[in-house]
Amino acid sequence: MSYLLTPSFSIIVIGVLFVIAGILHFIKPDPYLRIMPSFIPNPKAMVYISGVFEVIGGIGFLVPEFRYLAGWGLILLLFAVFPANIEMFFKGYKKHGFSIFTWVALIRLPIQFVLMFWIYWAGIK
């Protein structure tokens, strides 16, 4: 069970997680479009662009020669999409008040920073 906490296992999980998440931007773009902040131009294009970067970053994180650069790219991507996660919380709160959805959206905000640290720990440091 201790292998679950190793960088090599984490690299695989992180890489696959981002590839799947990126593909979902193309298969099911509507959930991403709904959380897009209104100040972002061309929301649909931004959903697809972020999906491309997630797939590229996830694949790059799996390749040792690209891991360092891909890791920093994924961390920057998480910072870039953070406003959408904030928007998801506020839209959910406005529509439902404090529901299970809004609590999950709220808890997701600090988890983004945990994910950034996990990427750093597993593939950059």
Side-chain angles (χ1 to χ4, degrees):
M1 196 71 158
S2 64
Y3 68 90
L4 294 176
L5 299 175
T6 64
S8 55
F9 182 77
S10 292
I11 287 165
I12 294 167
V13 172
I14 292 166
V16 170
L17 177 82
F18 275 95
V19 169
I20 291 170
I23 291 170
L24 285 174
H25 281 68
F26 297 95
I27 296 172
K28 299 231 182 239
D30 288 341
Y32 301 101
L33 288 168
R34 283 195 295 270
I35 65 169
M36 189 67 66
S38 59
F39 63 85
I40 302 291
N42 292 318
K44 195 165 195 173
M46 291 301 173
V47 166
Y48 292 146
I49 290 168
S50 62
V52 167
F53 281 117
E54 286 189 18
V55 171
I56 291 170
I59 292 170
F61 203 70
L62 295 169
V63 179
E65 295 82 12
F66 299 115
R67 186 169 300 132
Y68 182 85
L69 184 61
W72 281 115
L74 290 173
I75 289 171
L76 290 173
L77 180 65
L78 288 170
F79 273 115
V81 301
F82 196 72
N85 292 310
I86 294 170
E87 187 80 6
M88 179 172 40
F89 167 74
F90 282 117
K91 282 183 176 178
Y93 179 77
K94 187 176 180 180
K95 187 173 183 180
H96 305 288
F98 273 111
S99 66
I100 295 292
F101 174 83
T102 52
W103 278 110
V104 169
L106 183 61
I107 291 167
R108 183 179 174 177
L109 295 173
I111 290 174
Q112 293 290 107
F113 294 100
V114 172
L115 186 53
M116 290 176 204
F117 176 77
W118 190 28
I119 292 166
Y120 178 81
W121 172 81
I124 295 174
K125 72 167 181 88

